[in-house]
Amino acid sequence: QVQLVESGGGLVQTGASLRLNCAASGLPFSRSAMGWFRQAPGKEREFVAAMSWSGGTIYYADSVKARFTISRDNFKNIVYLQMNSLNPEDTAVYYCAARPLSGPSKVDDYAYWGQGTQVTVSS
């Protein structure tokens, strides 16, 4: 059974940093592309960042480029999202997603999804 469990969300002020974690199990993590998406209230889910299994290919949404960093530990089966300089527009539920045996994608065609973790940035 595949499980993706996000953690690290919370309530922070503008300018703060957070690191989200996504622990994966039940899938070939070291051969899976991983992605982060987010959904704000009343809006559609949107792409944030994605990384190939090797880390050689990384994509970011323009809105987070230079502020967010995706990384992974293939020994611990964890993917991270370091978020710096947070602003209220980053408020959303953040989801981790996996594409086993595939490359990273900017669209939500991932096979597996976590339950999400809430990030709230106050002004």
Side-chain angles (χ1 to χ4, degrees), residues 31-34 50-53 57 59 98-106 109-110:
R31 290 296 183 267
S32 299
M34 300 298 296
M51 172 180 269
S52 62
W53 65 269
T57 301
Y59 301 132
R99 296 182 91 219
L101 306 178
S102 298
S105 173
K106 298 180 183 180
D109 57 351
Y110 285 68

Side-chain angles (χ1 to χ4, degrees):
Q1 180 182 359
V2 175
Q3 282 194 314
L4 300 176
V5 180
E6 301 97 334
S7 62
L11 171 63
V12 296
Q13 293 186 330
T14 296
S17 298
L18 280 175
R19 189 180 78 164
L20 304 184
N21 308 317
C22 172
S25 61
L27 76 166
F29 183 82
S30 63
R31 290 296 183 267
S32 299
M34 300 298 296
W36 287 96
F37 290 75
R38 66 186 182 186
Q39 187 166 21
K43 296 187 177 181
E44 293 186 353
R45 187 165 57 191
E46 65 174 3
F47 168 75
V48 176
M51 172 180 269
S52 62
W53 65 269
S54 68
T57 301
I58 297 175
Y59 301 132
Y60 292 103
D62 288 343
S63 60
V64 307
K65 203 172 293 184
R67 298 189 299 123
F68 291 10
T69 302
I70 187 172
S71 61
R72 63 190 296 160
D73 185 330
N74 285 346
F75 293 100
K76 295 182 178 178
N77 287 7
I78 298 177
V79 61
Y80 305 97
L81 185 68
Q82 177 67 42
M83 306 186 295
N84 299 328
S85 302
L86 286 162
N87 59 65
E89 289 70 40
D90 297 316
T91 294
V93 177
Y94 283 71
Y95 298 92
C96 170
R99 296 182 91 219
L101 306 178
S102 298
S105 173
K106 298 180 183 180
V107 299
D108 58 353
D109 57 351
Y110 285 68
Y112 303 103
W113 293 82
Q115 292 299 307
T117 185
Q118 176 71 47
V119 172
T120 303
V121 185
S122 64
S123 57

